């Protein structure tokens, strides 16, 4: 496990020097609290050095800043002002990256939307967030025009993957670069809607101070520097690709290999130029299916990072066996950015998500918010400068999710080991109470995943007339695996208490997932909810 050769970027060190002011005295005026001012400082330091590589372009730091300035001027010409919302649903591209930075630059509130959302879903987000401008792809302009009108959005413009579209044309016509807007630390930078796996999506209000504190902490603990090259194959509508990856690279002066999407062959071809790769667990499992994903291919990579969904122990160990490197798993969520990380130097422990970031505190509590001792299972709560401001237009929901001492209730269940490592065991909403006894799905999934022929599993609750909730499991199997629901249940009975053993096992071709590879247990619960109630 090697670390980068230099300390964090100068802009982050300077910001940390005023961290108390920037985080807690959020009325401080000026551009210092605008995240883009720090990015711009890092870009100007790099000058003519290449900071973004795409299939079509090599872009220098100064060229990137200039392009951002033109897009910023274009947004101003559409009437956007500091605090106005800008909703964006476009395919990943270099100009998509530029658009995000332009929104920061003028102090607009960026609202990224998953490209898979359909018109009815888009209408919900636009009606809820009331953006002044909505950017979509040219191919969807006609489809979404009515949605935009119903939601009362002032302007609909387009942006394509080739830098085409009405917004790109408007940016090309600009004669000046827009200045960096003055922002305070508690001014909103982004509204990110939660993935909605357990209910209606909520808009998490994320401030400039939230983003700056998290980025600077990650640069410090992961030792990002201008000598790094980041392979970026993540989406730009989610915090993993938009915040964690981009901010670490841009603030440290690292170079970004911007890929339009994850493609295992494309990634393998880029690894010889790469020092850091970030991905979801699916990226790593797919790489492991490629015969020429070898130690020689990754010889220049100093760090593989995984997040957004749990990394299976089998994947962790198989990756180490193949490459000689241990994946660094970290933990975060839309409302908090990153919370914990396994260490760059030190033990990267399979099945855990590491320890809290600098200035971040975590604790495990019972349902009433009472702190529990090390090793106890309970709800993960977090407090720190990374924690969001609240849910957009939902003050009662916001109040319900915070303790009186400022800790945010994540809804995740976990344990903190004696030496400080956090282990996640599921979502509080996924907790199964069968016959009055608590069942933690993660524990059962670990046993299922270890069975011969099982690729992965998901354990969930379904209604039961006697027990209230029954334990059920869905599994995917390797080709030619000799497993049936009956023999899986029989095997589990020898390894688990009776109340933990699934009463039903379903063998599926694949588990339902959202865009960030998180298994959607709510869909499984709905699919099988009448298993025991149809008589």
């Amino acid at each position: 496990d090697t670390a980068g050769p230099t300390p964090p970027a100068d802009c982050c060190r300077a910001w940390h020097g005023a961290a108390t002011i920037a985080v807690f005295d959020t009325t401080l005026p000026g551009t210092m609290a605008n995240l883009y001012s720090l990015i711009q400082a890092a870009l100007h330091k790099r000058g003519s050095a290449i900071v973004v590589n795409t299939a079509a372009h090599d872009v220098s730091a100064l060229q990137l800043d200039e392009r951002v300035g033109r897009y910023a001027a274009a947004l101003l010409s559409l009437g956007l002002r500091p605090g106005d919302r800008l909703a964006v649903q476009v395919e990943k591209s270099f100009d998509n990256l530029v658009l995000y930075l332009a929104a920061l630059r003028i102090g607009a509130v960026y609202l990224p939307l998953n490209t898979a959302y359909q018109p009815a879903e888009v209408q919900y987000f636009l009606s809820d967030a009331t953006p002044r401008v909505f950017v979509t792809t040219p191919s969807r302009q006609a489809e979404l025009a009515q949605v935009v009108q119903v939601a009362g959005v002032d302007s609909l413009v387009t942006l394509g993957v080739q830098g085409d579209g009405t917004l790109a044309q408007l940016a090309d016509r600009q004669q000046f670069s827009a200045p960096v807007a003055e922002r305070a630390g508690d001014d909103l930078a982004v509204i990110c809607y939660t993935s909605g796996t357990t209910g209606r999506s909520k808009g998490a209000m994320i401030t400039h101070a939230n983003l700056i504190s998290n980025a600077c902490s990650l640069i410090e603990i992961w030792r990002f520097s201008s000598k790094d090259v980041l392979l970026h194959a993540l989406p730009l509508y989610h915090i993993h690709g938009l915040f964690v990856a981009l901010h670490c690279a841009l603030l440290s002066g690292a170079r970004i290999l911007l890929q339009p999407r994850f493609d295992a062959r494309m990634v393998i071809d880029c690894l010889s130029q790469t020092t850091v790769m970030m991905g979801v667990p699916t990226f790593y499992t797919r790489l492991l299916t490629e015969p020429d994903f070898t130690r020689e291919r990754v010889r220049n990579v100093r760090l593989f990072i995984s997040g957004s969904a749990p990394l299976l122990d089998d994947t962790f160990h198989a990756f180490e066996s193949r490459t000689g490197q241990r994946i660094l798993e970290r933990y975060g969520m839309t409302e908090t950015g990153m919370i914990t990380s396994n260490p760059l130097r030190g033990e990267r422990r399979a099945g855990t998500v590491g320890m809290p970031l600098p200035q971040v505190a975590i604790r495990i509590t019972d349902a009433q918010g009472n702190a529990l001792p090390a090793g106890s299972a309970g709800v993960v709560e977090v407090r720190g400068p990374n924690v969001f401001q609240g849910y957009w237009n939902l003050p009662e929901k916001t109040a319900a999710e915070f303790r009186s001492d400022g800790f945010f209730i994540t809804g995740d269940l976990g344990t903190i080991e004696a030496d400080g490592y956090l282990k996640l065991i599921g979502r509080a909403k996924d907790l199964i109470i069968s016959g009055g006894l608590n069942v933690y799905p993660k524990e059962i999934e670990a046993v299922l995943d270890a069975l011969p022929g099982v690729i992965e599993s998901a354990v969930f609750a379904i209604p039961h007339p006697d027990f209230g909730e029954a334990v059920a499991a869905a599994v995917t199997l390797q080709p030619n695996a000799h497993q049936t629901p009956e023999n899986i249940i029989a095997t589990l009975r020898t390894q688990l208490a009776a109340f933990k053993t699934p009463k039903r096992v379903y063998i599926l071709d694949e588990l339902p997932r959202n865009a960030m590879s998180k298994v959607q247990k709510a869909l499984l619960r709905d699919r099988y909810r009448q298993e025991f109630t149809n008589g």
Side-chain angles (χ1 to χ4, degrees), residues 328-382:
L328 185 152
E329 191 171 10
R330 85 307 179 273
Y331 162 55
M333 56 194 307
T334 302
E335 292 92 337
T336 63
M338 295 305 98
I339 299 170
T340 68
S341 172
N342 270 273
L344 182 66
R345 291 192 174 106
E347 183 186 3
R348 299 179 195 169
R349 191 173 299 171
T352 78
V353 291
M355 292 169 282
L357 270 59
Q359 303 185 58
V360 175
I362 61 172
R363 67 187 183 192
I364 304 297
T365 68
D366 61 19
Q368 290 72 45
N370 301 309
L372 297 174
S376 300
V379 178
V380 180
E381 298 185 358
V382 57

Side-chain angles (χ1 to χ4, degrees), residues 58-99:
D58 295 333
V59 183
S60 75
L62 291 180
Q63 287 172 333
L64 176 58
D65 183 51
E66 191 273 339
R67 187 66 177 161
V68 171
R70 287 183 180 274
Y71 265 84
L75 294 177
L76 290 175
S77 73
L78 292 171
L80 272 177
R81 295 296 180 265
D84 288 341
R85 271 79 63 203
L86 168 69
V88 176
Q89 188 192 35
V90 299
E91 298 295 334
K92 182 181 180 182
S93 68
F94 170 68
D95 284 79
N96 180 191
L97 182 159
V98 169
L99 177 58

Side-chain angles (χ1 to χ4, degrees), residues 33 161 199 208 228 288 324 346 351 389 410 428 434 439 444 481:
V161 294
H208 285 267
D228 276 313
L288 287 169
Q389 200 173 73
T410 67
S434 185
V439 179
I444 303 166

Side-chain angles (χ1 to χ4, degrees), residues 423-441:
K423 183 174 184 178
L424 298 177
I425 57 176
R427 290 285 295 170
K429 292 181 180 178
D430 292 335
L431 176 67
I432 302 167
I433 303 177
S434 185
L437 299 173
N438 288 353
V439 179
Y440 297 98

Side-chain angles (χ1 to χ4, degrees), residues 35-58:
L35 170 58
Y36 190 76
S37 67
L38 301 186
I39 293 173
Q40 185 180 61
L43 292 176
H44 285 195
K45 184 177 179 181
R46 295 289 285 151
S48 60
I50 301 300
V51 292
V52 180
N53 297 112
T54 71
H57 304 290
D58 295 333

Side-chain angles (χ1 to χ4, degrees), residues 453-469:
V454 173
I455 299 174
E456 62 178 340
S457 62
V459 172
F460 54 98
I462 51 179
H464 191 281
D466 187 19
F467 297 103
E469 291 183 327

